[in-house]
Amino acid sequence: MLYGAFVWVLGVSVYLFSFSFQLLDNVELQSSIALFLGIIPSACLGTYLFYKKGRMRPSILALTFVLIATILDIFITVPVFIIPTGGSYATFFGDPMFFIIIVEFFFTVVYFRKYTLQKTAS
């Protein structure tokens, strides 16, 4: 659970940092793109750190990471960062980018474990 929370912290940090500079007219889209790109190295790092000491099927680890991130989004991200800026639970969890990032997160963890780490162990 600790590594899942660590990946979530990295993802939220990338998301919030993306608001520091404006490259696109739509800052919400910009932050979603930043998170979409930032979740890949974050998920890989969390997976790598977990498998240095832990054992779990990659799909179960990926699901665990996704559930931890979603729970932390419910209790921290939305009330602390989204609602004060005029958003809501419905807009956050109803955004198609949320689901795209969740799927990307899941498959990044599974792919990184199954293909990258196992090839280096051989």
Side-chain angles (χ1 to χ4, degrees), residues 80-112:
V80 174
F81 302 113
I82 305 301
I83 291 175
T85 61
S88 67
Y89 282 98
T91 57
F92 183 81
F93 290 107
D95 185 358
M97 248 342 240
F98 173 79
F99 296 100
I100 291 169
I101 290 169
I102 289 291
V103 169
E104 174 197 24
F105 187 18
F106 180 89
F107 284 110
T108 299
V109 172
V110 171
Y111 175 83
F112 189 76

mmCIF file of all heavy atoms in Angstrom, residues 80-112:
data_model
loop_
_atom_site.group_PDB
_atom_site.id
_atom_site.type_symbol
_atom_site.label_atom_id
_atom_site.label_comp_id
_atom_site.label_asym_id
_atom_site.label_seq_id
_atom_site.Cartn_x
_atom_site.Cartn_y
_atom_site.Cartn_z
ATOM 1 N N VAL A 80 -9.388 18.573 -1.495
ATOM 2 C CA VAL A 80 -8.321 19.546 -1.240
ATOM 3 C C VAL A 80 -7.964 20.354 -2.486
ATOM 4 O O VAL A 80 -7.715 21.555 -2.389
ATOM 5 C CB VAL A 80 -7.061 18.839 -0.671
ATOM 6 C CG1 VAL A 80 -5.900 19.793 -0.525
ATOM 7 C CG2 VAL A 80 -7.387 18.186 0.666
ATOM 8 N N PHE A 81 -7.946 19.709 -3.664
ATOM 9 C CA PHE A 81 -7.462 20.389 -4.857
ATOM 10 C C PHE A 81 -8.536 20.689 -5.902
ATOM 11 O O PHE A 81 -8.411 21.660 -6.642
ATOM 12 C CB PHE A 81 -6.347 19.561 -5.529
ATOM 13 C CG PHE A 81 -5.186 19.294 -4.624
ATOM 14 C CD1 PHE A 81 -4.908 18.007 -4.192
ATOM 15 C CD2 PHE A 81 -4.374 20.317 -4.187
ATOM 16 C CE1 PHE A 81 -3.840 17.747 -3.356
ATOM 17 C CE2 PHE A 81 -3.302 20.084 -3.352
ATOM 18 C CZ PHE A 81 -3.029 18.799 -2.933
ATOM 19 N N ILE A 82 -9.564 19.886 -5.998
ATOM 20 C CA ILE A 82 -10.553 20.037 -7.070
ATOM 21 C C ILE A 82 -11.726 20.916 -6.643
ATOM 22 O O ILE A 82 -12.081 21.871 -7.332
ATOM 23 C CB ILE A 82 -11.061 18.658 -7.558
ATOM 24 C CG1 ILE A 82 -9.887 17.768 -7.996
ATOM 25 C CG2 ILE A 82 -12.086 18.807 -8.660
ATOM 26 C CD1 ILE A 82 -9.032 18.321 -9.103
ATOM 27 N N ILE A 83 -12.323 20.625 -5.507
ATOM 28 C CA ILE A 83 -13.487 21.385 -5.053
ATOM 29 C C ILE A 83 -13.159 22.867 -4.814
ATOM 30 O O ILE A 83 -13.935 23.730 -5.233
ATOM 31 C CB ILE A 83 -14.135 20.720 -3.816
ATOM 32 C CG1 ILE A 83 -14.772 19.391 -4.250
ATOM 33 C CG2 ILE A 83 -15.170 21.636 -3.165
ATOM 34 C CD1 ILE A 83 -15.353 18.555 -3.133
ATOM 35 N N PRO A 84 -12.029 23.203 -4.197
ATOM 36 C CA PRO A 84 -11.724 24.634 -4.002
ATOM 37 C C PRO A 84 -11.572 25.435 -5.305
ATOM 38 O O PRO A 84 -11.732 26.647 -5.305
ATOM 39 C CB PRO A 84 -10.402 24.631 -3.239
ATOM 40 C CG PRO A 84 -10.373 23.320 -2.543
ATOM 41 C CD PRO A 84 -11.069 22.366 -3.476
ATOM 42 N N THR A 85 -11.291 24.762 -6.404
ATOM 43 C CA THR A 85 -11.151 25.460 -7.686
ATOM 44 C C THR A 85 -12.441 25.415 -8.508
ATOM 45 O O THR A 85 -12.417 25.736 -9.694
ATOM 46 C CB THR A 85 -9.981 24.877 -8.510
ATOM 47 O OG1 THR A 85 -10.240 23.499 -8.783
ATOM 48 C CG2 THR A 85 -8.666 25.041 -7.772
ATOM 49 N N GLY A 86 -13.543 25.007 -7.891
ATOM 50 C CA GLY A 86 -14.830 25.005 -8.572
ATOM 51 C C GLY A 86 -15.246 23.669 -9.147
ATOM 52 O O GLY A 86 -16.290 23.573 -9.783
ATOM 53 N N GLY A 87 -14.455 22.635 -8.946
ATOM 54 C CA GLY A 87 -14.803 21.312 -9.448
ATOM 55 C C GLY A 87 -15.670 20.549 -8.471
ATOM 56 O O GLY A 87 -16.082 21.077 -7.434
ATOM 57 N N SER A 88 -15.940 19.318 -8.786
ATOM 58 C CA SER A 88 -16.751 18.467 -7.917
ATOM 59 C C SER A 88 -16.329 17.016 -8.121
ATOM 60 O O SER A 88 -15.550 16.698 -9.014
ATOM 61 C CB SER A 88 -18.234 18.620 -8.258
ATOM 62 O OG SER A 88 -18.493 18.088 -9.541
ATOM 63 N N TYR A 89 -16.876 16.158 -7.278
ATOM 64 C CA TYR A 89 -16.628 14.725 -7.448
ATOM 65 C C TYR A 89 -17.126 14.270 -8.819
ATOM 66 O O TYR A 89 -16.475 13.478 -9.495
ATOM 67 C CB TYR A 89 -17.324 13.917 -6.353
ATOM 68 C CG TYR A 89 -16.599 13.927 -5.036
ATOM 69 C CD1 TYR A 89 -16.966 14.798 -4.015
ATOM 70 C CD2 TYR A 89 -15.533 13.064 -4.806
ATOM 71 C CE1 TYR A 89 -16.292 14.808 -2.807
ATOM 72 C CE2 TYR A 89 -14.856 13.062 -3.604
ATOM 73 C CZ TYR A 89 -15.236 13.936 -2.604
ATOM 74 O OH TYR A 89 -14.555 13.938 -1.418
ATOM 75 N N ALA A 90 -18.273 14.779 -9.222
ATOM 76 C CA ALA A 90 -18.858 14.365 -10.503
ATOM 77 C C ALA A 90 -17.987 14.779 -11.677
ATOM 78 O O ALA A 90 -17.788 13.988 -12.613
ATOM 79 C CB ALA A 90 -20.254 14.951 -10.656
ATOM 80 N N THR A 91 -17.449 16.002 -11.645
ATOM 81 C CA THR A 91 -16.606 16.430 -12.761
ATOM 82 C C THR A 91 -15.277 15.677 -12.769
ATOM 83 O O THR A 91 -14.765 15.318 -13.828
ATOM 84 C CB THR A 91 -16.323 17.945 -12.726
ATOM 85 O OG1 THR A 91 -15.712 18.295 -11.483
ATOM 86 C CG2 THR A 91 -17.595 18.741 -12.932
ATOM 87 N N PHE A 92 -14.724 15.393 -11.597
ATOM 88 C CA PHE A 92 -13.446 14.689 -11.514
ATOM 89 C C PHE A 92 -13.589 13.244 -11.979
ATOM 90 O O PHE A 92 -12.853 12.783 -12.841
ATOM 91 C CB PHE A 92 -12.907 14.729 -10.083
ATOM 92 C CG PHE A 92 -11.560 14.090 -9.928
ATOM 93 C CD1 PHE A 92 -10.407 14.779 -10.248
ATOM 94 C CD2 PHE A 92 -11.437 12.788 -9.462
ATOM 95 C CE1 PHE A 92 -9.152 14.194 -10.115
ATOM 96 C CE2 PHE A 92 -10.193 12.194 -9.318
ATOM 97 C CZ PHE A 92 -9.050 12.904 -9.644
ATOM 98 N N PHE A 93 -14.551 12.522 -11.401
ATOM 99 C CA PHE A 93 -14.714 11.107 -11.733
ATOM 100 C C PHE A 93 -15.522 10.881 -13.011
ATOM 101 O O PHE A 93 -15.582 9.768 -13.511
ATOM 102 C CB PHE A 93 -15.334 10.346 -10.559
ATOM 103 C CG PHE A 93 -14.386 10.219 -9.394
ATOM 104 C CD1 PHE A 93 -14.574 10.965 -8.245
ATOM 105 C CD2 PHE A 93 -13.288 9.386 -9.456
ATOM 106 C CE1 PHE A 93 -13.695 10.864 -7.172
ATOM 107 C CE2 PHE A 93 -12.398 9.272 -8.396
ATOM 108 C CZ PHE A 93 -12.602 10.018 -7.255
ATOM 109 N N GLY A 94 -16.130 11.930 -13.526
ATOM 110 C CA GLY A 94 -16.872 11.825 -14.783
ATOM 111 C C GLY A 94 -16.033 12.181 -15.996
ATOM 112 O O GLY A 94 -16.470 12.004 -17.133
ATOM 113 N N ASP A 95 -14.841 12.672 -15.766
ATOM 114 C CA ASP A 95 -13.943 13.050 -16.855
ATOM 115 C C ASP A 95 -13.394 11.788 -17.524
ATOM 116 O O ASP A 95 -12.809 10.933 -16.858
ATOM 117 C CB ASP A 95 -12.797 13.891 -16.293
ATOM 118 C CG ASP A 95 -11.873 14.441 -17.356
ATOM 119 O OD1 ASP A 95 -12.078 14.150 -18.551
ATOM 120 O OD2 ASP A 95 -10.935 15.178 -16.997
ATOM 121 N N PRO A 96 -13.551 11.665 -18.836
ATOM 122 C CA PRO A 96 -13.034 10.479 -19.527
ATOM 123 C C PRO A 96 -11.525 10.298 -19.340
ATOM 124 O O PRO A 96 -11.025 9.173 -19.349
ATOM 125 C CB PRO A 96 -13.368 10.731 -21.001
ATOM 126 C CG PRO A 96 -14.447 11.750 -20.990
ATOM 127 C CD PRO A 96 -14.285 12.546 -19.746
ATOM 128 N N MET A 97 -10.791 11.389 -19.169
ATOM 129 C CA MET A 97 -9.347 11.295 -18.959
ATOM 130 C C MET A 97 -9.028 10.523 -17.682
ATOM 131 O O MET A 97 -8.007 9.844 -17.611
ATOM 132 C CB MET A 97 -8.752 12.692 -18.846
ATOM 133 C CG MET A 97 -7.846 13.185 -19.928
ATOM 134 S SD MET A 97 -7.100 12.050 -21.030
ATOM 135 C CE MET A 97 -5.409 12.385 -20.692
ATOM 136 N N PHE A 98 -9.885 10.610 -16.668
ATOM 137 C CA PHE A 98 -9.683 9.871 -15.429
ATOM 138 C C PHE A 98 -9.615 8.376 -15.726
ATOM 139 O O PHE A 98 -8.711 7.680 -15.267
ATOM 140 C CB PHE A 98 -10.798 10.174 -14.423
ATOM 141 C CG PHE A 98 -10.742 9.325 -13.193
ATOM 142 C CD1 PHE A 98 -9.848 9.611 -12.175
ATOM 143 C CD2 PHE A 98 -11.568 8.218 -13.041
ATOM 144 C CE1 PHE A 98 -9.771 8.826 -11.035
ATOM 145 C CE2 PHE A 98 -11.510 7.424 -11.913
ATOM 146 C CZ PHE A 98 -10.609 7.735 -10.903
ATOM 147 N N PHE A 99 -10.544 7.903 -16.529
ATOM 148 C CA PHE A 99 -10.596 6.470 -16.844
ATOM 149 C C PHE A 99 -9.465 6.054 -17.776
ATOM 150 O O PHE A 99 -8.928 4.953 -17.657
ATOM 151 C CB PHE A 99 -11.969 6.112 -17.417
ATOM 152 C CG PHE A 99 -13.060 6.321 -16.415
ATOM 153 C CD1 PHE A 99 -13.856 7.458 -16.454
ATOM 154 C CD2 PHE A 99 -13.257 5.418 -15.385
ATOM 155 C CE1 PHE A 99 -14.840 7.668 -15.507
ATOM 156 C CE2 PHE A 99 -14.237 5.621 -14.428
ATOM 157 C CZ PHE A 99 -15.029 6.750 -14.489
ATOM 158 N N ILE A 100 -9.093 6.929 -18.681
ATOM 159 C CA ILE A 100 -7.961 6.638 -19.567
ATOM 160 C C ILE A 100 -6.684 6.490 -18.745
ATOM 161 O O ILE A 100 -5.893 5.567 -18.945
ATOM 162 C CB ILE A 100 -7.818 7.737 -20.642
ATOM 163 C CG1 ILE A 100 -8.992 7.657 -21.614
ATOM 164 C CG2 ILE A 100 -6.485 7.623 -21.376
ATOM 165 C CD1 ILE A 100 -9.115 8.837 -22.554
ATOM 166 N N ILE A 101 -6.493 7.391 -17.785
ATOM 167 C CA ILE A 101 -5.295 7.345 -16.947
ATOM 168 C C ILE A 101 -5.310 6.110 -16.044
ATOM 169 O O ILE A 101 -4.269 5.480 -15.829
ATOM 170 C CB ILE A 101 -5.145 8.655 -16.151
ATOM 171 C CG1 ILE A 101 -4.789 9.792 -17.123
ATOM 172 C CG2 ILE A 101 -4.100 8.529 -15.049
ATOM 173 C CD1 ILE A 101 -4.864 11.178 -16.536
ATOM 174 N N ILE A 102 -6.466 5.727 -15.543
ATOM 175 C CA ILE A 102 -6.580 4.519 -14.722
ATOM 176 C C ILE A 102 -6.175 3.284 -15.532
ATOM 177 O O ILE A 102 -5.413 2.437 -15.064
ATOM 178 C CB ILE A 102 -8.027 4.356 -14.172
ATOM 179 C CG1 ILE A 102 -8.315 5.406 -13.116
ATOM 180 C CG2 ILE A 102 -8.264 2.954 -13.634
ATOM 181 C CD1 ILE A 102 -7.563 5.240 -11.828
ATOM 182 N N VAL A 103 -6.669 3.184 -16.753
ATOM 183 C CA VAL A 103 -6.327 2.046 -17.620
ATOM 184 C C VAL A 103 -4.833 2.066 -17.941
ATOM 185 O O VAL A 103 -4.157 1.036 -17.884
ATOM 186 C CB VAL A 103 -7.191 2.057 -18.906
ATOM 187 C CG1 VAL A 103 -6.690 1.056 -19.928
ATOM 188 C CG2 VAL A 103 -8.653 1.782 -18.552
ATOM 189 N N GLU A 104 -4.313 3.247 -18.257
ATOM 190 C CA GLU A 104 -2.883 3.381 -18.541
ATOM 191 C C GLU A 104 -2.054 2.960 -17.327
ATOM 192 O O GLU A 104 -1.063 2.234 -17.457
ATOM 193 C CB GLU A 104 -2.566 4.827 -18.901
ATOM 194 C CG GLU A 104 -1.086 5.086 -19.060
ATOM 195 C CD GLU A 104 -0.727 6.560 -19.009
ATOM 196 O OE1 GLU A 104 -1.483 7.360 -18.415
ATOM 197 O OE2 GLU A 104 0.334 6.894 -19.543
ATOM 198 N N PHE A 105 -2.459 3.397 -16.151
ATOM 199 C CA PHE A 105 -1.778 3.071 -14.902
ATOM 200 C C PHE A 105 -1.732 1.556 -14.706
ATOM 201 O O PHE A 105 -0.676 0.971 -14.456
ATOM 202 C CB PHE A 105 -2.515 3.771 -13.762
ATOM 203 C CG PHE A 105 -1.881 3.701 -12.408
ATOM 204 C CD1 PHE A 105 -0.550 3.365 -12.223
ATOM 205 C CD2 PHE A 105 -2.636 4.009 -11.284
ATOM 206 C CE1 PHE A 105 0.023 3.330 -10.959
ATOM 207 C CE2 PHE A 105 -2.070 3.981 -10.019
ATOM 208 C CZ PHE A 105 -0.746 3.631 -9.849
ATOM 209 N N PHE A 106 -2.884 0.906 -14.850
ATOM 210 C CA PHE A 106 -2.993 -0.540 -14.682
ATOM 211 C C PHE A 106 -2.046 -1.271 -15.633
ATOM 212 O O PHE A 106 -1.239 -2.104 -15.215
ATOM 213 C CB PHE A 106 -4.439 -0.994 -14.910
ATOM 214 C CG PHE A 106 -4.638 -2.468 -14.746
ATOM 215 C CD1 PHE A 106 -4.940 -2.998 -13.499
ATOM 216 C CD2 PHE A 106 -4.510 -3.334 -15.826
ATOM 217 C CE1 PHE A 106 -5.116 -4.374 -13.333
ATOM 218 C CE2 PHE A 106 -4.687 -4.704 -15.667
ATOM 219 C CZ PHE A 106 -4.981 -5.215 -14.420
ATOM 220 N N PHE A 107 -2.132 -0.950 -16.908
ATOM 221 C CA PHE A 107 -1.330 -1.680 -17.897
ATOM 222 C C PHE A 107 0.154 -1.340 -17.827
ATOM 223 O O PHE A 107 0.993 -2.176 -18.173
ATOM 224 C CB PHE A 107 -1.892 -1.486 -19.305
ATOM 225 C CG PHE A 107 -3.132 -2.297 -19.534
ATOM 226 C CD1 PHE A 107 -4.366 -1.685 -19.650
ATOM 227 C CD2 PHE A 107 -3.070 -3.676 -19.592
ATOM 228 C CE1 PHE A 107 -5.516 -2.438 -19.835
ATOM 229 C CE2 PHE A 107 -4.216 -4.446 -19.778
ATOM 230 C CZ PHE A 107 -5.443 -3.819 -19.898
ATOM 231 N N THR A 108 0.500 -0.144 -17.363
ATOM 232 C CA THR A 108 1.915 0.191 -17.183
ATOM 233 C C THR A 108 2.536 -0.692 -16.111
ATOM 234 O O THR A 108 3.634 -1.230 -16.297
ATOM 235 C CB THR A 108 2.083 1.677 -16.804
ATOM 236 O OG1 THR A 108 1.559 2.486 -17.855
ATOM 237 C CG2 THR A 108 3.532 2.032 -16.568
ATOM 238 N N VAL A 109 1.839 -0.868 -14.989
ATOM 239 C CA VAL A 109 2.344 -1.720 -13.910
ATOM 240 C C VAL A 109 2.480 -3.159 -14.395
ATOM 241 O O VAL A 109 3.520 -3.799 -14.200
ATOM 242 C CB VAL A 109 1.435 -1.643 -12.660
ATOM 243 C CG1 VAL A 109 1.837 -2.676 -11.618
ATOM 244 C CG2 VAL A 109 1.466 -0.243 -12.061
ATOM 245 N N VAL A 110 1.451 -3.670 -15.050
ATOM 246 C CA VAL A 110 1.484 -5.056 -15.537
ATOM 247 C C VAL A 110 2.606 -5.238 -16.561
ATOM 248 O O VAL A 110 3.400 -6.172 -16.462
ATOM 249 C CB VAL A 110 0.122 -5.467 -16.137
ATOM 250 C CG1 VAL A 110 0.217 -6.809 -16.844
ATOM 251 C CG2 VAL A 110 -0.937 -5.509 -15.048
ATOM 252 N N TYR A 111 2.688 -4.343 -17.520
ATOM 253 C CA TYR A 111 3.719 -4.461 -18.563
ATOM 254 C C TYR A 111 5.115 -4.369 -17.962
ATOM 255 O O TYR A 111 5.986 -5.170 -18.285
ATOM 256 C CB TYR A 111 3.534 -3.371 -19.621
ATOM 257 C CG TYR A 111 4.637 -3.388 -20.651
ATOM 258 C CD1 TYR A 111 4.582 -4.271 -21.724
ATOM 259 C CD2 TYR A 111 5.741 -2.550 -20.539
ATOM 260 C CE1 TYR A 111 5.601 -4.316 -22.663
ATOM 261 C CE2 TYR A 111 6.762 -2.591 -21.468
ATOM 262 C CZ TYR A 111 6.685 -3.469 -22.527
ATOM 263 O OH TYR A 111 7.707 -3.515 -23.439
ATOM 264 N N PHE A 112 5.324 -3.385 -17.092
ATOM 265 C CA PHE A 112 6.654 -3.183 -16.522
ATOM 266 C C PHE A 112 7.118 -4.422 -15.781
ATOM 267 O O PHE A 112 8.265 -4.843 -15.903
ATOM 268 C CB PHE A 112 6.666 -1.963 -15.606
ATOM 269 C CG PHE A 112 8.051 -1.578 -15.156
ATOM 270 C CD1 PHE A 112 8.910 -0.933 -16.019
ATOM 271 C CD2 PHE A 112 8.487 -1.859 -13.872
ATOM 272 C CE1 PHE A 112 10.189 -0.583 -15.617
ATOM 273 C CE2 PHE A 112 9.757 -1.512 -13.460
ATOM 274 C CZ PHE A 112 10.615 -0.870 -14.346
#
